[in-house]
CSV table of all heavy atoms in Angstrom, one decimal:
chain,number,residue,atom,x,y,z
A,54,ALA,N,98.7,137.3,-0.7
A,54,ALA,CA,98.8,137.2,0.8
A,54,ALA,C,98.3,138.5,1.4
A,54,ALA,O,97.5,138.5,2.4
A,54,ALA,CB,100.2,136.9,1.2
A,55,ILE,N,98.7,139.7,0.9
A,55,ILE,CA,98.2,140.9,1.5
A,55,ILE,C,96.8,141.2,1.3
A,55,ILE,O,96.1,141.7,2.1
A,55,ILE,CB,99.1,142.1,1.1
A,55,ILE,CG1,98.8,143.4,2.0
A,55,ILE,CG2,99.0,142.5,-0.3
A,55,ILE,CD1,99.0,143.2,3.4
A,56,MET,N,96.3,140.8,0.1
A,56,MET,CA,94.9,141.0,-0.2
A,56,MET,C,94.0,140.1,0.7
A,56,MET,O,92.8,140.4,0.9
A,56,MET,CB,94.6,140.7,-1.7
A,56,MET,CG,95.2,141.8,-2.6
A,56,MET,SD,94.8,143.5,-2.2
A,56,MET,CE,93.1,143.5,-2.7
A,57,SER,N,94.5,139.0,1.3
A,57,SER,CA,93.7,138.2,2.1
A,57,SER,C,93.7,138.7,3.6
A,57,SER,O,93.0,138.1,4.4
A,57,SER,CB,94.2,136.8,2.1
A,57,SER,OG,95.5,136.7,2.7
A,58,MET,N,94.4,139.8,3.9
A,58,MET,CA,94.4,140.4,5.2
A,58,MET,C,93.0,140.9,5.5
A,58,MET,O,92.3,141.5,4.7
A,58,MET,CB,95.4,141.5,5.3
A,58,MET,CG,95.5,142.2,6.7
A,58,MET,SD,96.8,143.4,6.8
A,58,MET,CE,95.9,144.8,6.0
A,59,ALA,N,92.5,140.6,6.7
A,59,ALA,CA,91.2,141.1,7.1
A,59,ALA,C,91.1,142.6,7.2
A,59,ALA,O,92.0,143.2,7.7
A,59,ALA,CB,90.8,140.5,8.5
A,60,SER,N,90.0,143.2,6.7
A,60,SER,CA,89.8,144.6,6.9
A,60,SER,C,89.2,144.9,8.2
A,60,SER,O,88.4,144.1,8.7
A,60,SER,CB,88.9,145.1,5.8
A,60,SER,OG,89.5,145.0,4.5
A,61,THR,N,89.5,146.0,8.8
A,61,THR,CA,89.0,146.4,10.1
A,61,THR,C,87.9,147.4,10.0
A,61,THR,O,86.8,147.0,9.6
A,61,THR,CB,90.1,146.9,11.0
A,61,THR,OG1,90.8,148.0,10.4
A,61,THR,CG2,91.1,145.8,11.4
A,62,THR,N,88.1,148.6,10.2
A,62,THR,CA,87.1,149.6,10.2
A,62,THR,C,87.0,150.3,8.8
A,62,THR,O,88.1,150.6,8.2
A,62,THR,CB,87.3,150.6,11.3
A,62,THR,OG1,88.6,151.2,11.1
A,62,THR,CG2,87.1,150.0,12.7
A,63,PRO,N,85.8,150.8,8.4
A,63,PRO,CA,85.8,151.5,7.1
A,63,PRO,C,86.3,152.9,7.3
A,63,PRO,O,86.3,153.5,8.4
A,63,PRO,CB,84.3,151.6,6.8
A,63,PRO,CG,83.6,151.3,8.2
A,63,PRO,CD,84.5,150.5,9.0
A,64,HIS,N,86.8,153.5,6.3
A,64,HIS,CA,87.3,154.9,6.3
A,64,HIS,C,87.2,155.5,4.9
A,64,HIS,O,86.8,154.8,4.0
A,64,HIS,CB,88.8,154.8,6.7
A,64,HIS,CG,89.6,154.0,5.8
A,64,HIS,ND1,90.1,154.4,4.6
A,64,HIS,CD2,90.0,152.7,5.9
A,64,HIS,CE1,90.7,153.4,4.0
A,64,HIS,NE2,90.7,152.3,4.8
A,65,ASP,N,87.5,156.8,4.8
A,65,ASP,CA,87.3,157.5,3.6
A,65,ASP,C,88.6,157.5,2.7
A,65,ASP,O,88.5,157.9,1.6
A,65,ASP,CB,86.9,159.0,3.9
A,65,ASP,CG,85.6,159.1,4.5
A,65,ASP,OD1,84.8,158.2,4.4
A,65,ASP,OD2,85.4,160.1,5.3
A,66,GLY,N,89.7,157.0,3.3
A,66,GLY,CA,91.0,157.1,2.5
A,66,GLY,C,91.1,155.9,1.6
A,66,GLY,O,90.2,155.0,1.4
A,67,PRO,N,92.2,155.9,0.8
A,67,PRO,CA,92.5,154.8,-0.1
A,67,PRO,C,92.7,153.4,0.7
A,67,PRO,O,93.0,153.4,1.8
A,67,PRO,CB,93.8,155.2,-0.8
A,67,PRO,CG,94.4,156.2,0.1
A,67,PRO,CD,93.3,156.8,0.9
A,68,ALA,N,92.4,152.4,0.0
A,68,ALA,CA,92.4,151.0,0.6
A,68,ALA,C,93.9,150.6,0.9
A,68,ALA,O,94.7,150.7,0.0
A,68,ALA,CB,91.8,150.0,-0.4
A,69,LEU,N,94.1,150.2,2.1
A,69,LEU,CA,95.5,149.9,2.5
A,69,LEU,C,96.0,148.7,1.8
A,69,LEU,O,97.1,148.7,1.2
A,69,LEU,CB,95.5,149.6,4.0
A,69,LEU,CG,96.8,149.2,4.7
A,69,LEU,CD1,97.8,150.3,4.6
A,69,LEU,CD2,96.5,148.7,6.1
A,70,LYS,N,95.2,147.6,1.7
A,70,LYS,CA,95.7,146.3,1.1
A,70,LYS,C,96.0,146.6,-0.4
A,70,LYS,O,97.0,146.1,-0.9
A,70,LYS,CB,94.6,145.3,1.2
A,70,LYS,CG,94.3,144.9,2.6
A,70,LYS,CD,93.4,143.7,2.7
A,70,LYS,CE,92.0,144.0,2.0
A,70,LYS,NZ,91.1,142.9,2.3
A,71,THR,N,95.1,147.3,-1.1
A,71,THR,CA,95.3,147.5,-2.5
A,71,THR,C,96.6,148.3,-2.8
A,71,THR,O,97.4,148.1,-3.7
A,71,THR,CB,94.1,148.2,-3.1
A,71,THR,OG1,93.0,147.4,-2.8
A,71,THR,CG2,94.2,148.3,-4.6
A,72,ALA,N,96.8,149.4,-1.9
A,72,ALA,CA,98.0,150.2,-2.1
A,72,ALA,C,99.2,149.4,-1.9
A,72,ALA,O,100.2,149.6,-2.6
A,72,ALA,CB,97.9,151.4,-1.2
A,73,ILE,N,99.2,148.6,-0.9
A,73,ILE,CA,100.4,147.7,-0.6
A,73,ILE,C,100.7,146.8,-1.8
A,73,ILE,O,101.8,146.6,-2.2
A,73,ILE,CB,100.3,147.0,0.7
A,73,ILE,CG1,100.3,148.0,1.9
A,73,ILE,CG2,101.4,146.0,0.9
A,73,ILE,CD1,100.0,147.3,3.2
A,74,ALA,N,99.6,146.1,-2.2
A,74,ALA,CA,99.7,145.1,-3.3
A,74,ALA,C,100.3,145.8,-4.6
A,74,ALA,O,101.1,145.2,-5.3
A,74,ALA,CB,98.4,144.5,-3.6
A,75,ARG,N,99.9,147.0,-4.9
A,75,ARG,CA,100.5,147.7,-6.0
A,75,ARG,C,102.0,148.0,-6.0
A,75,ARG,O,102.6,148.1,-7.0
A,75,ARG,CB,99.8,149.1,-6.2
A,75,ARG,CG,98.5,149.0,-6.9
A,75,ARG,CD,98.1,150.4,-7.4
A,75,ARG,NE,96.6,150.5,-7.2
A,75,ARG,CZ,95.9,151.3,-6.4
A,75,ARG,NH1,96.6,152.2,-5.7
A,75,ARG,NH2,94.7,151.3,-6.4
A,76,LYS,N,102.5,148.0,-4.8
A,76,LYS,CA,103.9,148.3,-4.6
A,76,LYS,C,104.8,147.1,-4.5
A,76,LYS,O,106.0,147.2,-4.4
A,76,LYS,CB,104.1,149.1,-3.3
A,76,LYS,CG,103.5,150.5,-3.3
A,76,LYS,CD,104.3,151.3,-4.3
A,76,LYS,CE,103.8,152.8,-4.2
A,76,LYS,NZ,104.8,153.7,-4.9
A,77,ILE,N,104.2,145.9,-4.7
A,77,ILE,CA,105.0,144.6,-4.7
A,77,ILE,C,105.4,144.3,-6.1
A,77,ILE,O,104.6,144.2,-7.0
A,77,ILE,CB,104.2,143.5,-4.1
A,77,ILE,CG1,103.8,143.8,-2.6
A,77,ILE,CG2,104.9,142.2,-4.2
A,77,ILE,CD1,102.8,142.8,-2.0
A,78,ARG,N,106.7,144.1,-6.3
A,78,ARG,CA,107.2,143.8,-7.6
A,78,ARG,C,108.6,143.1,-7.5
A,78,ARG,O,109.3,143.3,-6.6
A,78,ARG,CB,107.4,145.1,-8.4
A,78,ARG,CG,108.4,146.1,-7.9
A,78,ARG,CD,108.4,147.3,-8.7
A,78,ARG,NE,109.2,148.3,-8.1
A,78,ARG,CZ,108.8,149.2,-7.2
A,78,ARG,NH1,107.6,149.1,-6.7
A,78,ARG,NH2,109.6,150.1,-6.6
A,79,PRO,N,108.9,142.3,-8.5
A,79,PRO,CA,110.2,141.7,-8.6
A,79,PRO,C,111.3,142.7,-9.1
A,79,PRO,O,110.9,143.5,-10.0
A,79,PRO,CB,110.0,140.5,-9.6
A,79,PRO,CG,108.9,140.9,-10.4
A,79,PRO,CD,108.0,141.8,-9.6
Side-chain angles (χ1 to χ4, degrees):
I55 189 60
M56 292 305 288
S57 69
M58 182 175 80
S60 295
T61 54
T62 57
H64 56 81
D65 295 334
L69 179 68
K70 298 185 302 186
T71 306
I73 293 171
R75 273 194 219 119
K76 293 292 188 167
I77 298 171
R78 64 184 171 274

